[in-house]
Amino acid sequence: EGQLLDSGGDLVQPGGSLRLSCAASGFTFSNYAMSWIRQAPEKGPEWVSLISGSGYTTYYAESVKGRFTISRDNSKNTLYLLMNSLKVEDTAIYYCAKEQFAANVGDSFDMWGRGTRVTVSS
Amino acid sequence: DIQLTQSPSTLSASVGDTVTITCRASQSTSTWLAWYQQKPGKPPRLLMYATSNLEGGVPSRFSGRGSGTEYTLTITSLQPDDFATYYCHDYSTHARSTFGQGTKLDIK
């Protein structure tokens, strides 16, 4: 059975940086597009970024474009999210999530990490 | 961007009841709509994809339907484990995802 273990969340000051990681196991990582999705307290999920299985194509929500960078290392079965110029409104639990079907880009998410908490506050 | 509005925001029901949650899109979408269940402190769990396809392991008391701008998730014969928050998710726009604001189903 597949698993995603996301990590790297922390308390950071506005303007700071943080890198999240997501270690995947139990499936052929390189076959699947992956996303980061965040959820602020008492809010619905918000899609943040997506990367294709190869890593060649990336997409971002307008709210993070130019500040966040998604990447992956298929040799290590690991997904990353580099977050720069963090704002208070970036405070949320961040989940990595696997797309349901191989080779798709833009799909439902059938596997989620347990989430890692990012708090941006002075 | 497509906006999703769920109704109701909160729903109170009893074990054994049948409930329906509605998700309305700001513009007509294809049927690339999913539903998730989330319990406190846990990530969302996929229940339904492509409007009406049940994810593996999900009980058949969950069903989905819809088209255009209106989609529904129906749960028949509610069980204690079903009390949770439910989200719809549109993925009809290439490489973009939008989620609804959620419907909290609690025990009456």
Side-chain angles (χ1 to χ4, degrees):
Chain A
E1 176 131 352
Q3 188 176 1
L4 298 173
L5 287 176
D6 30 30
S7 62
D10 205 346
L11 170 63
V12 61
Q13 292 189 337
S17 297
L18 209 54
R19 190 179 83 157
L20 307 183
S21 299
C22 172
S25 60
F27 63 97
T28 306
F29 182 65
S30 60
N31 284 356
Y32 294 88
M34 299 288 295
S35 280
W36 287 99
I37 297 163
R38 67 186 181 185
Q39 189 170 27
E42 306 304 315
K43 298 288 187 182
E46 178 191 12
W47 172 79
V48 171
S49 183
L50 179 153
I51 187 167
S52 62
S54 65
Y56 290 147
T57 311
T58 59
Y59 305 86
Y60 298 93
E62 286 299 321
S63 57
V64 306
K65 196 175 290 185
R67 299 188 298 123
F68 290 12
T69 303
I70 191 171
S71 61
R72 64 192 297 161
D73 185 337
N74 286 343
S75 68
K76 295 182 179 179
N77 290 346
T78 303
L79 174 73
Y80 302 100
L81 184 69
L82 176 62
M83 304 185 294
N84 293 325
S85 303
L86 281 161
K87 304 176 181 180
V88 170
E89 52 264 40
D90 295 320
T91 295
I93 295 174
Y94 284 71
Y95 298 98
C96 59
K98 167 188 166 292
E99 293 206 349
Q100 187 173 12
F101 296 106
N104 277 7
V105 174
D107 209 342
S108 45
F109 302 110
D110 68 342
M111 190 184 302
W112 297 62
R114 63 186 175 185
T116 186
R117 187 178 299 273
V118 173
T119 303
V120 184
S121 175
S122 54
Chain B
D1 286 1
I2 292 174
Q3 310 297 320
L4 298 178
T5 302
Q6 290 182 230
S7 60
S9 295
T10 306
L11 181 56
S12 295
S14 302
V15 172
D17 285 353
T18 294
V19 298
T20 296
I21 300 168
T22 300
C23 178
R24 289 187 174 87
S26 57
Q27 59 188 274
S28 182
T29 72
S30 63
T31 53
W32 302 120
L33 188 116
W35 290 94
Y36 300 82
Q37 177 192 68
Q38 188 176 31
K39 295 182 178 179
K42 300 289 187 181
R45 170 198 178 197
L46 179 65
L47 299 175
M48 198 81 54
Y49 62 96
T51 299
S52 58
N53 293 273
L54 204 62
E55 173 67 343
V58 175
S60 59
R61 62 179 181 273
F62 291 88
S63 63
R65 60 183 300 169
S67 63
T69 61
E70 187 162 317
Y71 297 83
T72 59
L73 174 71
T74 297
I75 314 170
T76 58
S77 187
L78 273 172
Q79 299 299 301
D81 190 51
D82 299 337
F83 293 95
T85 300
Y86 292 85
Y87 295 98
C88 57
H89 162 215
D90 172 79
Y91 51 102
S92 62
T93 303
H94 176 66
R96 291 288 184 270
S97 278
T98 302
F99 291 87
Q101 85 282 8
T103 295
K104 184 177 182 180
L105 174 59
D106 60 23
I107 299 176
K108 188 184 292 184

